[in-house]
Amino acid sequence: MPAVLVIDDDPKLLKMLQRTLTYENLDVLTATNGLEALPLVQTHKPDLIIIDWMMPKMDGVSFIQRLRDEEDKTMILMLTARDAIENRVEGLESGADDYLIKPFAPAELVARVHAMLRRVESKPENQKAAYANITLNPATHEAKRGDMELNLTVTEFNLLHMLLRHPRQVLERRQILNDVWGYDFGGDDNVLEIYIGYLRKKLESDGSPRLIQTVRGIGYVLREE
């Protein structure tokens, strides 16, 4: 049974989320702030974390940054009432894999949770993928560019894996979102642009030339300039 850790300081919302996700046959753990949740992550190793942004003691962004600094790759869904683009970008840049704007319908939350858990539970093709000087091994979750090891989150790894499976092929944004994230984003592809930025930063950190190219009005392509 997949385990989900829900972190929110609103007792009514926390109880609703616990009840809703338990009904979905998930093992639900709860905490009221990031500081309280840290030991739960260490002892229970949840498959997914759902966390509110604004909380006392340790807010959602600080919590996520703490996990990512420790190279914890647990999938994270951030809940926030902040719906401005810059707020969404900040949440994703902290290391969240996805976000959900409050107020939300329980059915939408459930759909997001199941889609994210499918990404965790799905076993990628074991065949190694490579292009130019990038190599990726799904069996060991290892990726390199030349001799440089790439420390990738689950989402970054899956995104790079998709690009490597279709080298020199222009991929539409919607196609990438459906393949990597597993559900419809309703036309909001800022999350994809942010993760493309993450990959570029890691792939180009040693001064290597850009391989992920933007095709304006369409999407992205992995090819040498």
Side-chain angles (χ1 to χ4, degrees):
M1 179 183 296
V4 179
L5 172 59
V6 183
I7 312 165
D8 200 301
D9 64 328
D10 182 339
K12 291 184 179 180
L13 180 59
L14 190 63
K15 185 175 182 180
M16 183 276 286
L17 293 174
Q18 182 179 28
R19 183 175 60 251
T20 299
L21 296 174
T22 299
Y23 185 77
E24 294 296 319
N25 294 319
L26 300 173
D27 182 14
V28 184
L29 308 167
T30 62
T32 58
N33 61 70
L35 197 61
E36 180 184 330
L38 285 174
L40 295 177
V41 176
Q42 298 298 322
T43 56
H44 294 277
K45 306 293 183 185
D47 300 287
L48 173 66
I49 296 172
I50 301 173
I51 186 167
D52 186 30
W53 186 325
M54 301 301 296
M55 295 181 296
K57 297 184 179 179
M58 180 182 285
D59 63 24
V61 168
S62 299
F63 173 86
I64 296 170
Q65 290 173 336
R66 172 79 172 268
L67 289 193
R68 296 314 188 212
D69 287 344
E70 296 174 357
E71 298 188 3
D72 187 303
K73 295 180 173 63
T74 306
M75 297 281 283
I76 298 176
L77 171 63
M78 174 174 278
L79 306 179
T80 176
R82 301 179 173 187
D83 59 356
I85 294 298
E86 56 268 25
N87 296 137
R88 302 183 193 188
V89 170
E90 182 181 355
L92 291 168
E93 287 186 340
S94 71
D97 295 280
D98 195 7
Y99 57 82
L100 186 58
I101 302 299
K102 295 180 178 180
F104 53 82
E108 182 178 6
L109 173 78
V110 168
R112 298 279 184 110
V113 167
H114 282 308
M116 296 179 78
L117 287 174
R118 283 196 296 270
R119 289 156 60 190
V120 174
E121 296 169 357
S122 64
K123 296 181 179 179
E125 301 173 12
N126 287 326
Q127 186 175 0
K128 296 179 180 179
Y131 177 73
N133 63 343
I134 301 176
T135 58
L136 182 147
N137 187 343
T140 59
H141 197 85
E142 293 177 327
K144 290 184 177 182
R145 182 165 191 180
D147 295 327
M148 178 179 65
E149 293 188 7
L150 303 171
N151 180 28
L152 305 179
T153 67
V154 172
T155 300
E156 291 167 349
F157 189 90
N158 291 341
L159 178 56
L160 181 59
H161 192 196
M162 183 190 185
L163 293 171
L164 286 170
R165 295 199 309 269
H166 305 279
R168 297 179 297 276
Q169 179 181 338
V170 177
L171 302 173
E172 295 183 357
R173 290 182 175 86
R174 190 59 44 199
Q175 179 183 358
I176 300 173
L177 287 169
N178 289 339
D179 185 281
V180 178
W181 277 265
Y183 59 90
D184 191 349
F185 271 77
D188 183 359
D189 57 7
N190 290 298
V191 63
L192 175 56
E193 295 175 359
I194 291 168
Y195 270 90
I196 289 291
Y198 290 165
L199 273 183
R200 283 173 171 165
K201 184 176 181 180
K202 293 183 178 182
L203 289 169
E204 302 164 16
S205 62
D206 62 350
S208 296
R210 175 158 297 179
L211 288 177
I212 303 177
Q213 316 295 342
T214 300
V215 182
R216 294 190 181 279
I218 301 177
Y220 299 94
V221 58
L222 184 70
R223 67 184 176 204
E224 296 177 287
E225 292 182 318

